[in-house]
Each structure stands twice: as structure tokens, then as C-alpha cells.
Amino acid sequence: MIGFLVAGLIIGALARLIKPGKQDLGILATLGLGLVGSLIGGLIASFFGTGGIFELNVLGFVLAVVFAVLLIGVAESVAGKDKSTV
């Protein structure tokens, strides 16, 4: 469980480094988006037969980072809409 949290934080941090621009996300949001990206990436990688959803493999890691980048973009757009209405 602790390894999953650490992997989520690393994946979230990598996604923030890859995504251009400044993101107004805290460490908990980064962790959460990294964890969700890890779950989605691991699930899709398991469909390709690379192993289980919680196994560490290259395809799962790459997909997790890609989905975390996409989730950060979604979180930015949602947060941006909330700030424009205030």
C-alpha cells in the first residue's frame, strides 16, 4: 500500500513536469491524480497482457503517466472555470 502511494506521488510529479505551464495543484491533488492515473494505466496495461493491475511494468508506468497528464489537464480546466465564476 505504501509503495502504491509512493508510485502515485512519483507518477503525479512526473505528469506535472511533463505538462507545460504552472499548475495550481497541491501535493494531495498531485498524489490523487497520480494514483488515479496509476489505476487507469495499470488497468489498460493488464488488458494487453503485461501483468496484473498492481504489477510494476513499463507499459503500465508509461500509460499511468499519460493518464495522469490528462487528468491534470482536466483538473486545471475545472479549477479555472471555478475561479472565473468568483
Side-chain angles (χ1 to χ4, degrees):
M1 188 66 171
I2 292 173
F4 188 62
L5 292 173
V6 171
L9 187 58
I10 291 170
I11 289 169
L14 281 173
R16 286 185 66 177
L17 287 173
I18 293 170
K19 178 95 173 74
K22 183 181 183 318
Q23 297 91 26
D24 291 328
L25 299 173
I27 193 164
L28 290 178
T30 301
L31 175 63
L33 294 173
L35 289 173
V36 173
S38 295
L39 285 173
I40 295 170
L43 184 64
I44 292 174
S46 71
F47 285 139
F48 289 115
T50 61
I53 185 172
F54 294 110
E55 290 180 15
L56 183 61
N57 57 55
V58 175
L59 181 62
F61 185 79
V62 170
L63 287 173
V65 172
V66 168
F67 279 101
V69 169
L70 294 173
L71 289 171
I72 287 173
V74 169
E76 279 184 312
S77 67
V78 168
K81 287 179 184 176
D82 288 342
K83 286 182 181 179
S84 65
T85 59
V86 174

